[in-house]
Structure formats: C-alpha cells, structure tokens
C-alpha cells in the first residue's frame, strides 16, 4: 500500500508542477479577461485528453494488470517531462503550453488504472478508507506541488523579465524537478503487486473507437445503474464549480485585492487542498461502517454558501479560511461518491466505468471552462462568475438532496448523537446483505431506532405502536421511513406485513418488551413476533443495547459522570449470532440476558 500511495503522490505532484509554471507565467504577463481566458484554456487542455481517450483508457485498465498500465504511463511521463524541460530552456512558451495537453494525456490513460487499483488492493470492506487515503494523498500532492513550484518560480523570477519567453528560460531548472519526480514514480510502479485475478482476452478495435461505438457502449455502462450515473453527475457539477473558481480567482485577487505575488494567490488556493485532507479524514471517520452518503448534503450546502460569499470578502486572511473550509466540504462529496461508484461497479467493468466517469466529469468541466472563456471574452469579471457558480451550486444541492435525503437525515442524526455518546458496535458481520433479517432485542430509550440504524447500510423497517404512528406531524416521516404500525386490534395484519417485507429481503426490527424499560432489567418478552412467518430467506439476529439507561432519552434519568459538556456516555450495541427463525419469546429473552452478562459495559 505504501508504494501505491507514493506513486499516487508523485503522479499528482509532477503533473501539477508544469501547470503551475505555465499558470504563473500567464499571471505575470497578462491581466483582466485575457488572464481569465488563458487560465481557463490551460485548465481545458488538461481536461480534454480525459474526454478524448476515455474509451481506450478504460479498456487498458480492464484488459491488462493495472500495475502494468501505471508502469508504462509513468515511462511516457518521463519522456514528456524531458521534452518540457527542453522547451523551458529554449523559451518556447507555446510549445510548453501545448505540452500541457500531452502531460494530461498521460494522466488520462493512467487514471482508471490508478483509481481502479484501490478496490483490488484494499477490497470492498475498506473501500471508503482507501478512497479517503487516496483523496488525501492526491490533495497533499497538489498542495505540495502548488507551494513548492510557486516558491521556486518566485525565487527564480525577477521584475526585469518582461516576456513569457524570458520567464521560461529563467525558471528552466525547475524542469529537472519534473523529470526527477516522474522518474521516481516510474521506479516505484515496479514495486506494485499485480492484483489482476484473471487474464482478460478483450481486444480494442481502433475503427470502432473512431466510429464512437465504444463511446456508446461505455456510456451505457454507467447508465445501467442510475445510482452510479447520479454520483457521476454530482461529482461533475462539483468539479465544474471548482474549475471555474480556480480559473477566475487569480484575476479576482489581482484586480479586486491587488495581489501580484503568485505565492499568495496559489497559496490560498492550495489551502483548499489542506481542507480536502482534513475533510477526507473526517469523511473516513463517519464512514466507519458503510459509505456515508449523508455527508454529501453537508458538502453541497456549504460549498455553495462559500462560493456565494467570496465576492463579499476583501480580506485575504478570511478568504484563506474560506478556501480551507471549501476543501473540507469538498471531501464530504468526493470520498463517499467516488466510493459509491467503485462499490456499485463490478470488477470486470470497473476500469470502463471509471473511465466513463472521468469522461462525463471532464465534459462538464471542459464545457464550463469554455463558457468561462466566452464570458470573459465579453467582459464578465471574476466576481460575476462567482455568482454564476453559486447558482450552479444551488442546483447541486437540489440533486444531492433529491437522491440522498434519507441518508442525509441519518447522517444528521449520527452527528448529533456522536456529540453526546461514544457509540461502540459489535457483531455487525452477523447482518448479511440481500437477506431478510429480523432484529429482536431490548428497548431502553427513545433513540434505540437510531442506535440500531446508524452502522447498517440497509434501511431498517421498525414496528411501532399505532398511537405514535398516527400523530399527524410524525406520520409523513414515519411513512417515508417505512415504519409498520402495530395495534392490539390489528396486530396480526402488522406481523403479516412484517413477513412480506422479510420475504422481500428487508430488515425488520421489533422490540419484544413492548415498551421502554424503566430499569436496567430485561423485562418479559411478548410473544407477538412469533406470528411472523419463518418462510423467508434469512434469519433472526438478537441485539442488546447497553449504556443508555439513565440518559436524557431514557424513561428513568439518573445523574452520572457524563454531565460535562465535553464528556460522552459510552453506549454499546451488540448484534448476536443468528438464531432459529422459530425461536420462542422465552428463549429469546434468555439469550438477550446472556448477551447482557457477556457484553454489558462494566
């Protein structure tokens, strides 16, 4: 894993170095709309190869071992950086400008193999953590590249340099850093293990590629599952906003804030990278048990707010803080959405899907940068473009909330509970995907439903007293949560409905005690759940909740050592080994008491 992380770091660090050198040269020579246009074009040149070669890059990632694809791509990068260095020494600005495209072409071929390698290397269980690590590494590399190459650029630059050719010749030694970084990366790719489980016999027909047949086929690969397509569209909108913000901020800082030193301009934008690192760590923490899509709602909302607020701020210090926050909330989108795409993709088509994802995202970003160039040509300044991107952010919020509203709700609940409780879970491996699961256990607080749901990816269908279910302001929410109302008059119908849902592979939870316990004892279990038909493909999983008695959400609130604002009550939830679907109430009660003695908080 460590060699892979270094490869990811050096790839991003070196690719960004050349871009920074070109962008800083533009910043020194040009002003106003011309500066915006040229910066947007540089960014577009980086994106266009991802559009151009997404079919062959996906094919290569699926046809050959991903480690081999990375090896040959890195070798291509060594050759390109040598040519770029030669262009610097010759003062060939247009040639160096154009080489941005070829360096990006290398990245485009590299990308599906690089990201597809995550799932093969760490497996599905650690896919969120793997994506968080790669996202953090990439961001640190981008941050390091921006700071390093900008500082070196400014140290070699002098006010006597009047043309872009003179600037390039002055900073030419930086080219050897590009060559060195790419060479080390190439060396490290040979240390990556081959994770390809079976050889592929696929062939690539160039004629089919030129006719767009592969394009149609690969686009179909991401449209088969609407969940994958939605994640890709959401990422595309975010990256489009980011690209435009980065393209116009230099002009905005120079015109509105009077900043002419590239270290300050690039440094502030680099703070977004620090934010992404911090945000990735937070996202990984909140995705401990499953991919936490609820974070995306927080990310989309605050990203939009920040973009709208930037034009109102004229302090570089405050803007620096805002860019850091922008990065944190960006990670809340990037980590779960990228993990979701990889999780839902089969290993056989993972490379194609990731390449298609790159294609769609880059089409969006390229289009936005073209529009930015168009608007700049007709005199629209950076401030107005920030407002335009804010409007796009509003649409991003709408798409995220319309798709992940339930997940956003659960994420909000989880954050609130984590402020007061340290939640510990055991036995989650006893709840398998795609099978019906009947959860049966003790009832100790008003938030037991949340405690059970938080670590489980699938939605739990609870059985609830009909008197509570019928409360007018609660009923729409409970219906959305697919709660099953239970009453003494129609209890048989309720358990029949529970049986139907279990046969459809759902998770149903019942609290056999029938009410919240008034003390720490396990009270008598009611026999109602025995009416549930055991003809479903699944099993019964007992659970035990400990640590909530005496809390604010329990019926009996007792003073304890957790009264401090920063102290948290430890709550443990244990999911036991599966039991017979024909288990009786008294047998279940005995099992829960055993779990209490075995796992209870001492």
């Amino acid at each position: 894993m460590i060699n892979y992380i270094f490869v990811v770091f050096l790839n991003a660090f070196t690719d960004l170095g050349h871009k920074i050198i070109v962008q800083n040269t533009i910043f020194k020579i040009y002003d106003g709309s011309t500066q915006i246009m040229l910066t947007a074009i540089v960014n577009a040149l980086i994106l266009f190869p991802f559009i151009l070669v997404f079919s062959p890059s996906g094919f290569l990632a699926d046809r050959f071992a991903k480690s081999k694809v990375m090896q040959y791509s890195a070798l291509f990068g060594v050759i390109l950086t040598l040519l770029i260095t030669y262009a610097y020494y010759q003062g060939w600005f247009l040639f160096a400008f154009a080489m941005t495209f070829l360096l990006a072409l290398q990245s485009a071929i590299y990308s599906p193999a690089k990201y597809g390698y995550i799932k093969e290397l760490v497996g599905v269980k650690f896919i969120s953590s793997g994506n968080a690590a790669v996202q953090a590494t990439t961001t640190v590399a981008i941050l390091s590249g921006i700071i390093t190459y900008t500082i070196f650029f400014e140290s070699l630059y002098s006010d006597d340099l009047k043309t872009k050719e003179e600037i390039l010749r002055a900073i030419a030694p930086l080219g050897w850093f590009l060559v060195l970084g790419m060479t080390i990366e190439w060396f490290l790719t040979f240390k990556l293990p081959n994770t390809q489980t079976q050889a592929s016999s696929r062939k690539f027909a160039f004629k089919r590629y030129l006719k767009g047949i592969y394009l149609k086929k690969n686009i179909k690969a991401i449209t088969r599952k609407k969940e994958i397509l939605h994640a890709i569209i959401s990422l595309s909108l975010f990256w489009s906003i980011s690209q435009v913000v980065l393209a116009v901020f230099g002009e905005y800082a120079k015109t509105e804030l009077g900043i002419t030193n590239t270290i300050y301009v690039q440094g502030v934008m680099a703070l977004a990278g620090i934010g992404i690192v911090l945000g990735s760590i937070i996202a990984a923490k909140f995705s401990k048990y499953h991919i936490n899509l609820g974070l995306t709602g927080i990310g989309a909302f605050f990203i939009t707010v920040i973009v709208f607020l930037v034009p109102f701020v004229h302090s570089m210090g405050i803007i620096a803080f805002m860019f850091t926050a922008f990065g944190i909330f960006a990670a809340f989108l990037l980590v779960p959405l990228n993990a979701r795409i990889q999780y839902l993709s089969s290993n056989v088509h993972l490379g194609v899907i990731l390449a298609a994802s790159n294609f769609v995202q880059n089409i969006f970003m390229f289009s936005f940068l073209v529009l930015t160039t168009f608007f700049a040509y007709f005199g629209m300044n950076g401030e107005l473009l920030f407002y335009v991107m804010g409007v796009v952010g509003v649409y991003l919020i709408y798409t995220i909330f319309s798709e992940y509203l339930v997940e956003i709700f659960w994420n909000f609940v989880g954050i609130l509970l984590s402020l007061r409780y340290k939640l510990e879970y055991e036995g989650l491996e006893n709840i398998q995907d795609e099978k019906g699961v009947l959860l049966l256990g003790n009832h100790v607080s008003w938030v037991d439903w949340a405690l059970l749901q938080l670590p489980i990816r699938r939605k739990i269908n609870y059985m609830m007293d009909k008197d509570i279910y019928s409360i007018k302001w609660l009923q729409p929410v409970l219906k959305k949560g697919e709660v099953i109302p239970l009453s003494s008059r129609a209890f048989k119908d309720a358990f029949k409905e529970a049986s139907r849902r279990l046969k459809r592979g759902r998770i149903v939870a019942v609290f056999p005690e029938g009410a919240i316990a008034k003390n720490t004892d396990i009270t008598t279990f009611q026999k109602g759940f025995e009416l549930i038909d055991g003809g479903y493909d699944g099993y019964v999983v007992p659970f035990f909740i400990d640590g909530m008695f005496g809390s604010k959400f329990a019926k009996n609130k007792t003073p304890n050592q957790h009264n401090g604002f920063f102290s948290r009550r430890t709550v443990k939830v244990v999911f036991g080994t599966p039991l017979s679907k024909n288990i009786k109430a008294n047998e279940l009660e005995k099992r829960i008491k055993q779990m209490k003695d075995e796992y209870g908080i001492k």
Side-chain angles (χ1 to χ4, degrees), residues 222-242:
I222 61 173
T223 55
R224 288 193 188 104
K225 289 185 178 180
K226 68 179 184 67
E227 296 91 346
I228 291 178
L229 181 61
H230 182 274
I232 291 171
I233 296 298
S234 299
L235 286 170
S236 300
L237 288 169
F238 162 72
W239 281 120
S240 298
I241 294 169
S242 300

Side-chain angles (χ1 to χ4, degrees), residues 134-210:
V134 169
Q135 189 65 63
T137 300
T138 302
T139 306
V140 169
I142 291 172
L143 171 65
S144 303
I146 290 173
I147 298 298
T148 302
Y149 282 98
T150 299
I151 290 175
F152 284 155
F153 181 94
E154 285 289 344
S155 67
L156 295 171
Y157 173 82
S158 71
D159 293 333
D160 296 332
L161 303 172
K162 302 300 181 184
T163 67
K164 48 190 179 293
E165 290 78 16
E166 290 176 352
I167 292 176
L168 274 191
R169 282 191 285 266
I171 57 87
L174 291 181
W176 294 113
F177 284 96
L178 299 176
V179 175
L180 179 63
M182 196 61 76
T183 302
I184 296 173
E185 178 190 342
W186 179 45
F187 172 76
L188 289 175
T189 58
F190 286 92
K191 295 183 176 294
L192 299 179
N194 183 348
T195 55
Q196 189 178 35
T197 54
Q198 64 182 61
S200 173
S201 58
R202 293 183 183 181
K203 294 183 178 180
F204 188 81
F206 194 69
K207 287 184 178 179
R208 290 168 63 86
Y209 168 59
L210 292 178

Side-chain angles (χ1 to χ4, degrees), residues 95-106:
F95 182 82
F97 195 94
M99 287 299 290
T100 305
F101 172 82
L102 289 179
L103 199 59
L105 181 65
Q106 179 260 357

Side-chain angles (χ1 to χ4, degrees), residues 294 401 403-411 459 480-481:
F401 273 74
E403 182 73 12
Y404 305 127
L405 182 61
V406 173
E407 289 85 353
I408 291 168
F409 167 77
W410 281 111
N411 181 68
K459 184 187 295 184
K480 184 74 175 177

Side-chain angles (χ1 to χ4, degrees), residues 310 319 368 407 484 503 505:
V310 168
I319 289 179
F368 271 67
E407 289 85 353
I484 303 172
K503 289 176 181 178

Side-chain angles (χ1 to χ4, degrees), residues 389-404:
M389 289 305 100
V391 173
V392 177
V394 171
Y395 181 71
L396 174 62
I397 292 173
Y398 169 76
T399 60
I400 290 291
F401 273 74
S402 63
E403 182 73 12
Y404 305 127

